[in-house]
Amino acid sequence: MTETDAALRALAHNVRGARTRAGLSLDELGRRAKVSKGALVALEKAQGNPNFATLVRLADTLGVSVSALMEGRAEGRVRVVSADRVLPLWTGEQGSEARLMLTTSGAAPTEIWRWRLEPGEEYPSHPHQAGVVETVSVTAGRMTLVVDGSEHPVEAGQTATFDGDSSHTYRGEGTGTCHLIMTVHLPPGPSSAP
């Protein structure tokens, strides 16, 4: 079995399990997450290939983290994750990318993301569920964070935080690549308990 096959099977298992725990039919999950029933059926049979936006909508609707939908079983008390072992969940046309490195466990998990934004390239995000808080810490270069239409420059050594339940965009600025660490703090919920 290839890594891709294993990842699709883990995703199928996790989506089906989260949907069942939430008490949602395929029709209801599709309606709430704005995903077709056919796509959900294929996904739960490990035949789908959802894009990043679909995964985020499913996770938000199910009240779990994106990585909770993607990860296999935990393999021990300590996890060390190398960026080169994690496939990008989003790639831009100019080489930008976002990698979900891991999600902490517990009643209120936190997703840890590693982003690379090329100058002028941007990623617009839809609003998340109420209670989600995001932070961005720029380690190199600079970016513009747009929240509800207001632009906020963030440079190397700076960190910004905002409520993720409004529209927001990440845009690379300047002449060099922007590197940042993003955390997504999820609200406690019955589906996110360990």
Side-chain angles (χ1 to χ4, degrees), residues 129-149:
Q129 64 180 316
V132 171
V133 176
E134 293 193 22
T135 63
V136 291
S137 296
V138 176
T139 60
R142 61 188 185 141
M143 66 171 288
T144 296
L145 170 65
V146 183
V147 179
D148 277 339

Side-chain angles (χ1 to χ4, degrees), residues 90 96 115-119 121 143 170-172 176-178 180:
W90 171 75
S96 298
W115 285 72
R116 183 177 74 219
L117 290 171
E118 296 301 329
E121 192 156 35
M143 66 171 288
Y170 307 111
R171 183 174 61 232
T177 302
C178 176
L180 62 107

